[in-house]
Amino acid sequence: MPSYVVGVDFGTESGRAVIIDTADGRELGSSVYPYQNGVIDEHLPAPDDDVRLDPEWALQDPDDYIRTFSEAVPAALAAAGVDAGDVVGVGIDFTACTMMPTLADGTSLATLPHLRRQPHAWVKLWKHHAAQPEADRINEVARLRGEAWLDRYGGKISSEWFYSKALQILDEAPAIYEAADRLIEAADWVVWRLTGVETRNSCTAGYKAIWSKQDGFPGRDYFAALDPRLADVVDRKMSRHVSPIGERAGGLTEEAAGWTGLRPGTAVAVANVDAHVSVPAATVTGPGRMVMVMGTSICHMVLGEKPAVVEGMCGVVEDGILPGLFGYEAGQSAVGDIFAWFVDNLVPPEYHEAAQREGLDVHGLLEREAATLAPGQSGLVALDWWNGNRSVLVDVDLSGLLLGATLATKAPEIYRALIEATAFGTRMIIESFEASGVPVHDIVACGGLPERNRLLMQIYADVTRREMAVAESPQTPALGSAMWAAVAAGAAAGGYDSIEDAAAAMARLRSERHVPDAARAAVYDDLYEEYKTLHDYFGRGTNDVMKRLRALRDRVLAG
Amino acid sequence: MPSYVVGVDFGTESGRAVIIDTADGRELGSSVYPYQNGVIDEHLPAPDDDVRLDPEWALQDPDDYIRTFSEAVPAALAAAGVDAGDVVGVGIDFTACTMMPTLADGTSLATLPHLRRQPHAWVKLWKHHAAQPEADRINEVARLRGEAWLDRYGGKISSEWFYSKALQILDEAPAIYEAADRLIEAADWVVWRLTGVETRNSCTAGYKAIWSKQDGFPGRDYFAALDPRLADVVDRKMSRHVSPIGERAGGLTEEAAGWTGLRPGTAVAVANVDAHVSVPAATVTGPGRMVMVMGTSICHMVLGEKPAVVEGMCGVVEDGILPGLFGYEAGQSAVGDIFAWFVDNLVPPEYHEAAQREGLDVHGLLEREAATLAPGQSGLVALDWWNGNRSVLVDVDLSGLLLGATLATKAPEIYRALIEATAFGTRMIIESFEASGVPVHDIVACGGLPERNRLLMQIYADVTRREMAVAESPQTPALGSAMWAAVAAGAAAGGYDSIEDAAAAMARLRSERHVPDAARAAVYDDLYEEYKTLHDYFGRGTNDVMKRLRALRDRVLAG
């Protein structure tokens, strides 16, 4: 008997539903729902569009998530041509931390007539950056109190994370904070709406809300030190029950089944995060193989059997990626964004014209030209800090550096140097992992960049001296969610009893491998030594020129 | 009775003649002769165009210099509408070191039928760069022998200079070396052809042929150590009689008068160099005021009353710029060239389109946009070493650096940072002068850049904290040559008895001054400190990454 699973990937601008054959992971149909209200960053949606938002704000409309289900899932089912009755499970992944205040029954405060004109009643999207003062307080108080958990997050909690956003609500809209019976990840809220059961997934709890399996959440005293009104935030507005990834959260309610055409009672998996579900979807279910989600930025994930303190991690969470393992996450804050910046801002007309003439995009043309160069030929080396450095330095005030230009330097040489710099950044992260006893033998890439840029993949292989594979699915998050759906359903219902079983059957790599070339790797060893010297000189306090320039710029802009 | 002087400026691609009113320096007429054979850098001129030249070669045709006289001088006289009989003097300036082999009577070897197919028989233009191995030998032998004169040239003799080129002839074409009765600057050769008198001017002798008023040329032992055949080069092929700038070399011969329409016997000044004649033409005849010839590169000249060792000078020569004073010359090897590189290689289509729409060139548009920024606002700082560093580090293997870029960095911000970097480079040179007791109170600029870029002038004033004036004449070299012509003629013949008198009457500044702004200068003090730290870190051996990248590039290119 055939069985199918539904994976839904909630992105920043849209949600994507896929219908996957449980037997072999084949994608049978998909549909994308562009959120009606998208990213809300200038004013609230009509009829409340007279309510303006400050810069740095980024909200979403929770109804867009429900509409994703009611629109995209039926459309994907129709495209797949499968019987909804044969669907055995539903899994979702989300951007994170994307969080919201609700009533005790799960009603979003943004949908209440008397609160809808209050921006703090809405969903705060991951890239809502208005809670930096709160994040600064969170970090300062943690440092002063010597909170042990700070090490698990590379020494710094981000303004994007859960308590930064919660504390901003309390600071700026105490009445909303008071009215909120629950503060919850949007991912968990969607599962709640699908099943009627409130769960909290171990992935966002661990990576975004300072939870660990061993120590739970930070203590009451810590929260009280931030603000006395926050002292009981976990017990009053969250939950100490955290559900492991892969667990069945519940079954589809009659109402939710009605949105989708699926059977009531269909298994729904505990929610998850887009990057993290990509790990098993990229075939990785054990230690030693790093998964890199490569797009505008890079998220690096490795599984380990024991806890370790790795410099500059985004986080290490037991059960955070796969049950029974420690999930390590690191990151580079700009990768594809740097190449896009270069193409948008520093590529002269001749390349635009040549690209158009040859039916390429400018990236494609520059990649082709850059591919004709040998490592070291340009004489350039760069530091990839155009958007600061996440791992391993955890420093947003660092900036980009390009060294070695001459009057003969051409755009494709700089383009290649920028790619190389991001590869050196990844090598730095790998070496940091291995120095802490977390091995990285080879790499699987997924995301948009590996699809588009073969030169980049080869450079990463040569620079890291590690074989690079690419996940077969171009939609690894949605596939990963579908795999977790199969695990939530269980083998008896046509799914699988473990994510390892699901991965063995459903996840695949492309046959092509990018294998390090010894001669190129030797040149890159030399260039990497130069990168490391500059990295430490500018990044570890010998010459804080980048911070001083940033501070000067801010003073000038402030008048 | 009116009196006029002729100045002829021999450039790289053409020669320019101007007719100047001796009374007030007004330019009454001018004419440009584009050299028929221009820069000869691929093959010899027809009918010998089957003789190919190696890369790095750059020759000229001496007949082009004679044609400049016979074409441009009569045309300029006609344009001025003056009576050739009222012309009292002729002066010339030249690129340097531009040198050639001749017979004892001044006949160029390139004009001899049996030698014309030999590239080494031709004029070697200043930018002939094929004598680097010879320059390396010259420097190494000088260092080993502890030659005291090396200090006067910032510790390094250039491949562009006289003995590098002479030694290349000896190395590669000993028969030409043997056939050459004389080796002579093209500038002095032209004066020889005009007057029948062989002179050697103190400017090129001092700056390009290691001559000093006190010590003369390097000793026979030094030349013998380079090559025994070179031991007597000064006595056999040059002259120990060096004529001070401003002296009358002789009178126009009948033949030369015939080329030009001028009177036979008209005073001809000793030859000079384009940059150096600009000093009095920019009104400067004493210490304390720096003249900067600003174009693709910058030549900085200051007069001093005593000799001093200044770090990284191009040279210090007594009587080299003005009689009775020490002429100090420093340089930045790329300035306008860096801005041109940026515009040619890294400015995206939108700026090209906007410039065209608004009837500006791209430089003009970028200047306008960059002018809206405050110092420090871009967060960028650069090292201006796109073509190495001449003063004060004297290191061709250094390269460019741009630091502080973010995803928000725009092209005009980089353009401004590049201008600022060149201004920091000039400030470094000024501080080097002053640290050695050579004061620089204010600055006069001439050349192409000050004409075109007011923002640049203001940035230089703010960065150096010195008032910047601009010479009135857009043709300072030709005016300067005309002024020296007036001095060669003397007051009794309608000229002047000193260059000071000539400058007082004939040279002027524009009324506009660029005055340092205290607030901007304070921000630039901070940025300059950052520049200096980076300058010393990358330029003085702490981190030789630029040299290693250059060496790696060379190895890669060599296969």
Side-chain angles (χ1 to χ4, degrees), chain A residues 159-177:
Chain A
S159 74
E160 293 181 1
W161 294 358
F162 195 83
Y163 301 114
S164 305
K165 285 168 169 156
L167 190 52
Q168 194 199 1
I169 300 176
L170 177 58
D171 279 351
E172 299 180 5
I176 295 285
Y177 182 80

Side-chain angles (χ1 to χ4, degrees), chain A residues 341 400 402 404-405 409 530 548, chain B residues 341 377 400 402 404-405 409 530 548:
Chain A
W341 167 83
L402 180 73
T409 299
E530 303 296 355
R548 289 189 297 269
Chain B
W341 167 83
Q377 182 176 342
L402 179 72
T409 300
E530 303 296 355
R548 288 189 298 268

Side-chain angles (χ1 to χ4, degrees), chain A residues 69 88-92 184 187-202 241-253 265-272 481 484-490:
Chain A
F69 261 89
V88 298
V90 174
I92 71 165
I184 191 166
D188 292 324
W189 179 79
V190 168
V191 169
W192 191 358
R193 292 299 308 273
L194 293 178
T195 62
V197 182
E198 180 186 353
T199 55
R200 308 269 170 164
N201 75 82
S202 61
H241 180 74
V242 172
S243 301
I245 297 304
E247 207 173 70
R248 182 179 186 278
L252 276 184
T253 62
T266 303
V268 178
V270 162
N272 213 322
S481 284
W484 286 113
V487 175

Side-chain angles (χ1 to χ4, degrees), chain B residues 140-299:
Chain B
E140 197 190 339
V141 172
R143 270 193 302 275
L144 287 173
R145 295 173 48 92
E147 296 286 342
W149 44 258
L150 206 52
D151 270 352
R152 297 203 310 269
Y153 302 97
K156 204 171 277 183
I157 301 302
S158 164
S159 73
E160 292 181 2
W161 294 357
F162 194 83
Y163 300 113
S164 304
K165 285 168 169 157
L167 190 52
Q168 194 199 1
I169 300 176
L170 177 58
D171 279 352
E172 299 179 6
I176 294 285
Y177 183 81
E178 200 45 51
D181 298 318
R182 320 300 289 153
L183 294 171
I184 191 166
E185 282 281 341
D188 292 325
W189 178 79
V190 169
V191 169
W192 191 358
R193 293 300 307 274
L194 293 179
T195 62
V197 183
E198 180 186 355
T199 56
R200 307 268 170 164
N201 74 83
S202 60
C203 184
T204 53
Y207 288 105
K208 310 298 179 186
I210 320 183
W211 169 85
S212 83
K213 194 172 176 180
Q214 200 173 341
D215 302 324
F217 292 100
R220 190 181 186 283
D221 288 354
Y222 170 74
F223 288 116
L226 286 176
D227 190 307
R229 296 167 296 173
L230 201 71
D232 295 311
V233 62
V234 175
D235 289 317
R236 286 189 48 213
K237 297 183 190 287
M238 298 167 61
S239 167
R240 296 200 182 272
H241 180 74
V242 173
S243 302
I245 297 305
E247 207 172 72
R248 182 179 185 280
L252 276 184
T253 62
E254 292 279 351
E255 183 193 13
W259 298 332
T260 57
L262 300 175
R263 280 185 293 109
T266 303
V268 177
V270 163
N272 213 321
V273 176
D274 45 11
H276 302 76
V277 294
S278 298
V279 173
T283 75
V284 174
T285 57
R289 177 171 276 190
M290 173 181 269
V291 173
M292 301 208 305
V293 182
M294 303 178 77
T296 55
S297 59
I298 293 182
C299 178

Side-chain angles (χ1 to χ4, degrees), chain B residues 353-426:
Chain B
E353 290 156 13
Q356 194 166 30
R357 221 166 33 236
E358 305 186 34
L360 294 166
D361 71 357
V362 178
H363 284 282
L365 184 84
L366 289 173
E367 182 199 345
R368 192 187 67 190
E369 298 297 311
T372 67
L373 300 166
Q377 182 176 342
S378 71
L380 298 170
V381 69
L383 289 175
D384 53 320
W385 300 345
W386 264 251
N387 193 22
N389 176 295
R390 173 64 219 194
S391 304
V392 300
L393 298 170
V394 197
D395 194 333
V396 296
D397 290 330
L398 297 175
S399 52
L401 176 137
L402 179 72
L403 181 150
T406 72
L407 297 173
T409 300
K410 298 287 179 192
E413 295 177 300
I414 299 176
Y415 189 74
R416 184 175 178 122
L418 295 174
I419 293 175
E420 290 169 347
T422 64
F424 295 142
T426 283

Side-chain angles (χ1 to χ4, degrees), chain A residues 80-94:
Chain A
V82 307
D83 182 346
D86 292 333
V87 171
V88 298
V90 174
I92 71 165
D93 63 271
F94 232 89

